[in-house]
């Protein structure tokens, strides 16, 4: 701490502007050449791993052949997109993606808010901190582990829940291979993994409330629930609205790993989403051009949704995200 | 102030519910740990295992004696250490560069960074790129694309924004260049933030699954998560019974279920170990950022 402060103190010396005479652009670049050099590795990564693949989407308009490469592959225009829209799979992919997201919106989204409100009402600081540490923890586990834990609990053979059901004289339930349960399982997993972590932002917003407001409300005889309703909730309303809008922007995204790990042949009718479809068709069946077209369609719709939600966020009087 | 009855009721209900939520969050961990220490006979004969019966280390002894598991553990540890160190340097250096207001083209770099957050070309172009670069079956296929994490670079930039440029002035006068200043002044000054981001990177690399599934087909080079998937998922839905865990188990007198539990425990322990540090540093980093900004 002392070192940090000491060093930070250097920054408090009066700001001396760089030599104020007008410099040409070239002189400025030359002056900062070592700064550019610092950023160079990152810049190379940015171009190579982010922008080259963006250029790579042109194969969605080709019949890409790995032997011919980008340059020599045959151009086919919108053929792959037409194939996608004509495919009966398309409606299923769209429905599943949307359904999983809507389930998340209605069932997952309110949980961190409620959890944050509850944690905020805890007066015992130690208890609060312990609960926080516990509910944050699952966020750091991989989806593979989460899937493994889900199987441990719900598998038909050795799953704990089915063992308990059997102990009680009830029959076992095929939790993981029944299509009707699939979306609920995904939502439940998301809640278990991320709801606690999601409280951080709401707790931060709540922390900004002036304690005097609660004091005043208590003098007026407001119960704790009324204080939550009239003081705490309005205080986090902006954050809630922003996160809600942001979520709207991600309606096309379903975590690939989560769905991929929970998929099995018996639930494929409800579990195939755009991302898993692209993986299966593109990488496992090597249909590069068609699957790139599918991915591009998803990305463009996603981009429109994100831009739209950013516009909405700005309309709500916030800065927007970019 | 004396609490009224309704006040008390509210408090205890709230505490009770939170306690319940905490237990639900923890229970799966508790259960797998218990099972992983239970011996096979008790696990099969007793349908419910809620405390370790006939404590044994068989499952752990077994998984650590297999080459598959120790190999994967090594790959994941390598990814976490090398990947984190490189990502941290590259992302922080880039974030630092765009945080310096005097830099010509700064806005251009920022826009270039933000665009990558908005538009994702999908997995196939990435896959083809890695293939073209000849990185298939190499750990570089996982490390290189992650070196510049746009999101983390932006957060690091926001953190560096709080460090005034005048801080570098005296070092400039003493003849140090930006690279020296970055490594000898800025980085040491940013240790709490670096610790937080480093641990986030480390958790990310440790949890890498999807990229490894795409790029690493050679099972001797699988990181832990891919091996775990083969052990846990492929054999757990009751459809494919010939999973890795049952293969492992048939060679030994340990039930596949118990081997799976032990594997989950081993894969989770590193995270549990870094987690307290992560929390501490994260809080510190955030506070430092707010004090300076």
């Amino acid at each position: 701490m002392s070192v940090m402060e000491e060093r930070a103190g250097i920054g408090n010396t009066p700001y001396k502007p760089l030599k104020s005479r007008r410099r040409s652009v070239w002189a400025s670049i030359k002056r900062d050449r070592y700064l550019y050099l610092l950023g160079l590795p990152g810049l190379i990564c940015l171009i190579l791993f982010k922008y080259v693949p963006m250029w790579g989407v042109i194969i969605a308009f080709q019949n890409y052949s790995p032997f011919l490469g980008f340059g020599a592959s045959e151009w086919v225009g919108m053929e792959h997109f037409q194939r996608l829209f004509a495919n009966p799979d398309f409606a299923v992919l769209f429905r599943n993606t949307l359904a999983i997201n809507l389930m998340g919106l209605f069932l997952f989204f309110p949980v961190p808010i409620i959890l944050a409100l509850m944690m905020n009402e805890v007066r015992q600081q130690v208890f609060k901190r312990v609960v926080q540490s516990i509910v944050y923890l699952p966020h750091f586990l991989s989806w593979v582990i989460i899937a493994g834990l889900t199987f441990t609990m719900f598998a038909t053979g050795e799953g704990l829940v089915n063992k308990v059901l059997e102990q009680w004289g009830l029959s076992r339930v095929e939790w993981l291979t029944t299509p009707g349960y699939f979306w609920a399982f995904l939502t439940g997993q998301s809640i278990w993994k991320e709801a606690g972590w999601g409280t951080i932002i709401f707790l931060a917003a709540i922390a900004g409330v002036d304690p005097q407001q609660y004091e005043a409300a208590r003098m007026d005889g407001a119960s704790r629930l009324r204080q939550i309703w009239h003081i705490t909730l309005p205080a986090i309303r902006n954050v809630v609205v922003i996160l809600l809008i942001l979520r709207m922007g991600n309606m096309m995204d379903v975590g690939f790993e989560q769905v991929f790990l929970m998929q099995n042949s018996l639930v494929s009718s409800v579990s195939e989403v755009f991302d898993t479809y692209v993986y299966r068709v593109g990488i496992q069946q090597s249909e590069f051009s068609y699957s790139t077209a599918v991915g591009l369609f998803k990305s463009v719709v996603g981009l429109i949704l994100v831009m739209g939600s950013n516009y909405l966020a700005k309309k709500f009087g916030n800065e927007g995200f970019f | 102030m004396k609490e009224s009855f309704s006040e008390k009721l509210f408090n205890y209900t709230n505490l009770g519910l939170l306690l319940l939520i905490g237990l639900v969050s923890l229970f799966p961990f508790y259960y797998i740990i218990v099972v992983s220490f239970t011996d096979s006979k008790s696990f099969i004969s007793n349908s419910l295992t809620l405390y370790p019966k006939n404590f044994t280390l068989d499952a752990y002894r077994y998984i650590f004696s297999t080459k598959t598991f120790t190999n994967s553990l090594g790959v994941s540890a390598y990814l976490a250490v090398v990947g984190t160190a490189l990502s941290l340097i590259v992302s922080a250096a880039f974030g630092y560069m765009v945080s310096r207001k005097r830099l010509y083209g700064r806005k251009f770099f920022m826009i270039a960074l933000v665009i990558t957050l908005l538009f994702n070309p999908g997995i196939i172009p990435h896959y083809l790129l890695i293939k073209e670069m000849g990185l298939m079956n190499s750990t570089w296929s996982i490390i290189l694309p992650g070196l510049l994490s746009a999101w983390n670079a932006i957060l690091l930039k926001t953190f560096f924004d709080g460090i005034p440029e005048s801080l570098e002035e005296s070092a400039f006068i003493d003849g140090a260049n930006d690279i020296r200043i970055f490594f000898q002044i800025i980085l040491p000054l940013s240790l709490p933030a670096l610790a937080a981001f480093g641990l986030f990177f480390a958790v990310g690399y440790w949890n890498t699954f999807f990229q490894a599934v795409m790029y690493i087909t050679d099972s001797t080079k699988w990181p832990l998560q891919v091996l775990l998937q083969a052990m846990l998922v492929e054999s757990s839905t009751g459809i494919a019974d010939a999973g890795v865990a049952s293969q492992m188990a048939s060679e030994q007198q340990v039930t596949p279920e118990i081997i799976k539990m032990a594997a989950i425990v081993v894969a989770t322990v590193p995270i549990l170990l870094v987690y307290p540090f992560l929390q501490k540093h994260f809080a510190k980093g955030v506070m430092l950022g707010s004090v300076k900004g």
Side-chain angles (χ1 to χ4, degrees):
Chain A
M1 180 162 177
S2 62
V3 178
M4 295 304 310
E5 275 177 353
E6 242 170 66
R7 293 198 175 166
I10 301 169
N12 295 333
T13 53
Y15 178 70
K16 277 179 275 170
L18 289 172
K19 287 182 187 109
S20 58
R21 73 186 157 89
R22 247 207 157 105
R23 284 170 181 274
S24 68
V25 168
W26 179 241
S28 151
I29 291 175
K30 206 178 151 198
R31 176 198 61 190
D32 291 332
R33 60 192 180 280
Y34 289 109
L35 203 51
Y36 288 108
L37 204 58
L38 264 180
L40 191 63
L43 196 62
I44 293 171
C45 287
L46 190 69
I47 293 168
L48 192 55
F49 293 107
K50 309 276 182 190
Y51 282 92
V52 169
M54 282 190 200
W55 171 246
V57 297
I58 59 163
I59 69 167
F61 306 97
Q62 297 180 326
N63 266 336
Y64 174 76
S65 148
F67 307 106
L68 297 174
F70 298 104
S73 290
E74 178 202 357
W75 289 90
V76 295
M78 302 298 281
E79 197 182 279
H80 295 295
F81 292 93
Q82 283 162 358
R83 195 179 135 200
L84 170 67
F85 298 137
N87 193 332
D89 286 350
F90 177 71
V92 177
L93 293 176
F94 212 99
R95 180 201 65 182
N96 292 346
T97 306
L98 211 60
I100 292 167
N101 268 305
L102 288 177
M103 292 266 299
L105 189 64
F106 289 112
L107 297 176
F108 172 83
F109 190 77
V111 181
I113 301 173
I114 297 168
L115 207 52
L117 292 177
M118 288 170 70
M119 295 205 288
N120 183 52
E121 294 301 322
V122 175
R123 298 284 176 266
Q124 293 79 355
Q125 286 308 306
V126 177
F127 181 87
K128 185 177 165 184
R129 220 163 293 144
V130 171
V131 170
Q132 273 180 314
S133 306
I134 291 171
V135 295
Y136 293 168
L137 185 58
H139 167 79
F140 295 98
L141 302 182
S142 70
W143 278 113
V144 179
I145 300 276
I146 306 278
L149 292 175
T150 309
F151 296 134
T152 306
M153 294 295 145
F154 294 98
T156 312
E158 295 296 334
L160 180 67
V161 171
N162 274 327
K163 281 184 170 185
V164 173
L165 286 179
E166 200 166 58
Q167 193 101 334
W168 289 345
L170 299 165
S171 54
R172 287 169 181 254
V173 179
E174 307 256 337
W175 298 109
L176 302 169
T177 47
T178 308
Y181 296 141
F182 187 76
W183 295 339
F185 263 97
L186 291 189
T187 312
Q189 282 182 324
S190 299
I191 292 175
W192 190 77
K193 187 177 194 281
E194 303 293 352
W197 188 250
T199 61
I200 291 181
I201 188 159
F202 298 111
L203 284 171
I206 294 172
V209 181
D210 183 356
Q212 286 188 347
Q213 289 195 36
Y214 293 106
E215 202 71 41
R218 212 174 304 142
M219 288 302 157
D220 293 342
S223 69
R224 292 279 283 279
L225 283 172
R226 286 200 80 101
Q227 289 174 30
I228 293 175
W229 185 255
H230 290 293
I231 300 172
T232 317
L233 269 180
I236 60 173
R237 197 180 56 200
N238 274 340
V239 179
V240 173
V241 170
I242 287 296
L243 289 182
L244 198 62
I245 293 171
L246 192 63
R247 210 184 158 99
M248 297 296 183
N250 292 325
M251 272 289 154
M252 284 292 109
D253 291 319
V254 176
F256 171 87
E257 294 189 5
Q258 183 187 13
V259 177
F260 178 74
L261 288 162
M262 294 301 290
Q263 263 180 343
N264 57 65
S265 55
L266 295 175
V267 295
S268 57
S269 62
V270 292
S271 70
E272 198 80 293
V273 293
F274 285 107
D275 289 326
T276 54
Y277 183 75
V278 170
Y279 174 76
R280 202 163 51 78
V281 176
I283 290 172
Q284 293 183 333
Q285 297 166 16
S286 297
E287 286 210 50
F288 296 126
S289 279
Y290 173 64
S291 56
T292 303
V294 180
L296 183 58
F297 167 76
K298 195 207 114 170
S299 298
V300 169
V301 174
L303 181 66
I304 293 168
L305 287 174
V306 168
M307 298 301 260
S309 69
N310 187 56
Y311 171 78
L312 275 179
K314 278 185 178 162
K315 272 217 123 169
F316 265 88
N318 289 281
E319 285 175 34
F321 313 107
F322 41 85
Chain B
M1 196 159 66
K2 216 171 143 55
E3 289 185 330
S4 67
F5 173 74
S6 67
E7 187 92 339
K8 269 186 186 154
L9 185 72
F10 178 92
N11 277 337
Y12 287 120
T13 318
N14 192 27
L15 290 183
L17 284 174
L18 281 175
L19 203 63
L20 196 70
I21 290 166
L23 287 179
V24 170
S25 300
L26 273 187
F27 182 73
F29 294 104
Y30 172 77
Y31 182 71
I32 54 160
I33 290 170
V34 165
V35 172
S36 72
F37 287 120
T38 305
D39 91 316
S40 296
K41 273 192 210 115
S42 336
F43 180 73
I44 295 164
S45 60
N46 294 291
S47 52
L48 288 180
T49 317
L50 290 179
Y51 58 93
K53 287 168 197 150
N54 302 320
F55 182 90
T56 167
L57 288 171
D58 282 354
Y60 292 94
R61 219 170 281 140
Y62 179 66
I63 57 172
F64 279 110
S65 72
T66 63
K67 230 185 145 103
T68 346
F69 195 86
T70 45
N71 260 349
S72 289
L73 207 60
V75 173
S76 283
Y78 174 83
L79 277 176
V81 172
V82 175
T84 303
L86 293 177
S87 298
L88 206 51
I89 292 174
V90 171
S91 296
F94 193 83
Y96 179 67
M97 177 183 80
V98 290
S99 77
R100 298 300 90 179
K101 290 177 188 62
R102 62 171 195 270
L103 189 81
Y104 180 77
R106 169 176 182 265
K107 203 159 183 189
F108 170 78
F109 293 130
M110 270 313 282
I111 292 170
L113 205 56
V114 170
I115 287 174
T116 67
L117 290 177
L118 296 178
F119 183 76
N120 176 2
I123 59 171
I124 305 294
H126 288 110
Y127 174 80
L128 293 175
L129 175 69
I130 296 291
K131 220 172 167 175
E132 288 292 304
M133 291 176 74
L135 293 178
M136 294 297 274
N137 276 324
S138 152
T139 41
W140 292 111
S141 67
I142 294 166
I143 294 176
L144 288 181
L147 284 186
L148 183 74
S149 145
W151 189 243
N152 284 331
I154 290 172
L155 289 178
L156 279 158
K157 178 234 165 216
T158 314
F159 174 79
F160 292 131
D161 278 343
I163 301 178
E165 301 201 13
S166 56
L167 180 61
E168 300 138 57
E169 201 71 346
S170 55
F172 269 127
I173 291 162
D174 292 343
N177 63 38
D178 282 303
I179 295 176
R180 262 191 82 161
I181 293 173
F182 177 69
F183 282 103
Q184 297 193 339
I185 297 174
I186 305 297
L187 284 189
L189 196 69
S190 315
L191 275 182
L194 291 181
F197 284 102
L199 288 161
F200 279 130
F201 276 122
V203 170
Y205 279 108
W206 182 259
N207 285 345
T208 298
F209 168 69
F210 176 44
Q211 285 176 303
V213 165
M214 281 205 297
Y215 304 141
I216 299 192
T217 48
D218 176 355
S219 66
T220 60
K221 291 178 181 165
W222 275 353
L224 197 55
Q225 305 295 338
V226 182
L227 178 72
L228 279 176
Q229 185 237 0
M231 289 175 72
L232 303 168
V233 178
E234 286 177 3
S235 58
S236 272
T237 46
I239 295 165
D241 272 319
V244 176
S246 12
Q247 268 174 24
M248 280 178 156
S250 61
E251 300 159 16
Q252 202 81 13
Q253 293 299 314
V254 191
T255 313
E257 287 303 315
I258 297 177
I259 293 177
K260 289 179 194 174
M261 302 304 133
I264 296 182
V265 173
V266 174
T268 315
V269 162
I271 293 201
L272 295 182
L273 289 181
V274 299
Y275 180 62
F277 299 98
L278 182 106
Q279 267 201 317
K280 195 179 99 198
H281 284 296
F282 190 67
K284 243 190 197 171
V286 169
M287 253 143 63
L288 191 78
S290 61
V291 167
K292 300 190 114 185

